[in-house]
């Protein structure tokens, strides 16, 4: 197993999960409580990465990060290099790819909170922000745990978007999934198997912990 690729993947997954908590919570709150008539269109856009082929999403992300896009030109002017085929670009692509895996559990947990508790909090004079942190968020812990774990695990195993946006640069964008692909291409099935087993075990442990924690929270209720 390539330790450099492994730790780069762990760092990428942890960073993506952390960013999705910051970005995903307000989006999930809006999905759960907005009464906008056309909200379903926004939900469809947010959920596109679930059904889109990774190569399609990766292609459009690559175009958006390239030197001919406003974002790519702005980044190049600030840093001297483009976003494509860099770790930063890999983070952006991974955030977009794992976005629904965090936001959907967040939104479902917010929507499941008893509306009477929310109304009571606001009746007592609490602001929406205070109600969110004191009532909604504590009652949504199972969904939050699920969203963070799924986004982390999903980023660990992504391949198509990573390859399209980041390429295969050792120490920069080469993740574990690409390392497995390279080993298979080189007919190193033993090495590919050992690396794949590590991902399999990590994914199994993450899901086991999520189900165990959610079951305990449910039982305590």
């Amino acid at each position: 197993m390539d330790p450099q690729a492994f730790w780069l993947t762990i760092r990428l997954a942890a960073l993506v999960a952390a960013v999705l908590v910051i970005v995903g919570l307000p989006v999930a709150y809006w999905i759960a409580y907005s009464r906008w008539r056309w909200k379903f269109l926004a939900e469809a856009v947010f959920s596109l990465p679930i059904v889109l082929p990774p190569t399609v999403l990766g292609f459009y992300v690559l175009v958006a990060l390239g030197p001919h896009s406003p974002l790519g030109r702005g980044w190049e002017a600030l840093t001297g290099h483009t976003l494509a085929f860099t770790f930063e670009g890999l983070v952006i692509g991974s955030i977009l790819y794992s976005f629904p895996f965090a936001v959907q559990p967040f939104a479902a947990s917010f929507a499941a909170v008893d509306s009477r508790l929310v109304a009571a909090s606001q009746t007592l004079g609490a602001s929406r922000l205070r109600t969110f942190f004191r009532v909604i968020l504590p009652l949504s812990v199972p969904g939050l745990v699920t969203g963070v774990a799924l986004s982390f695990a999903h980023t660990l195993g992504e391949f198509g978007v990573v390859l399209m946006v980041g390429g295969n640069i050792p120490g920069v964008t080469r993740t574990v999934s690409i390392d497995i692909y390279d080993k298979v291409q080189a007919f190193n099935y033993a090495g590919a198997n050992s690396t794949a087993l590590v991902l399999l075990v990590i994914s199994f442990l993450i899901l086991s912990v999520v189900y165990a924690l959610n079951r305990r929270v449910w039982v305590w209720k």
Side-chain angles (χ1 to χ4, degrees):
M1 184 175 184
D2 183 353
Q4 193 176 47
F6 175 77
W7 290 114
L8 186 144
T9 305
I10 295 294
R11 182 160 60 99
L12 174 66
L15 185 57
V16 168
V19 171
L20 284 176
V21 170
I22 299 172
V23 176
L25 288 179
V27 174
Y29 180 88
W30 178 81
I31 291 174
Y33 295 104
S34 172
R35 296 183 179 179
W36 184 44
R37 181 178 180 181
W38 305 102
K39 183 177 68 173
F40 67 92
L41 295 177
E43 292 181 274
V45 171
F46 296 149
S47 300
L48 272 177
I50 296 177
V51 297
L52 273 181
T55 49
V56 174
L57 179 62
F59 169 73
Y60 285 114
V61 173
L62 182 61
V63 171
L65 301 182
H68 300 296
S69 70
L71 179 60
R73 288 196 300 268
W75 183 266
E76 188 172 11
L78 289 174
T79 64
H81 60 81
T82 61
L83 271 170
F85 306 109
T86 64
F87 182 77
E88 292 83 1
L90 202 60
V91 170
I92 295 174
S94 300
I95 288 171
L96 294 175
Y97 189 46
S98 296
F99 189 79
F101 292 88
V103 170
Q104 288 191 357
F106 292 170
S109 62
F110 292 163
V113 174
D114 192 335
S115 59
R116 292 172 297 181
L117 297 176
V118 177
S121 175
Q122 294 176 349
T123 301
L124 292 173
S127 65
R128 288 189 176 183
L129 188 63
R130 185 176 178 84
T131 299
F132 175 75
F133 282 107
R134 297 296 296 271
V135 178
I136 298 174
L137 202 60
L139 294 175
S140 304
V141 170
L144 301 182
V145 172
T146 300
V148 171
L150 286 181
S151 59
F152 181 89
H154 189 247
T155 305
L156 281 181
E158 64 179 296
F159 175 76
V161 172
V162 167
L163 191 60
M164 292 287 290
V165 176
N168 187 4
I169 306 173
V172 180
T173 61
R174 186 181 186 184
T175 61
V176 171
S177 58
I178 295 178
D179 181 51
I180 293 173
Y181 176 77
D182 286 345
K183 284 182 169 61
V184 172
Q185 290 288 83
F187 300 101
N188 181 9
Y189 295 118
N193 179 55
S194 63
T195 305
L197 280 176
V198 172
L199 278 187
L200 176 63
V201 171
I202 292 176
S203 300
F204 174 76
L205 290 175
I206 290 173
L207 292 176
S208 298
V209 169
V210 168
Y211 285 124
L213 288 175
N214 285 349
R215 182 173 176 82
R216 291 185 66 186
V217 170
W218 181 80
V219 170
W220 287 342
K221 289 182 180 179

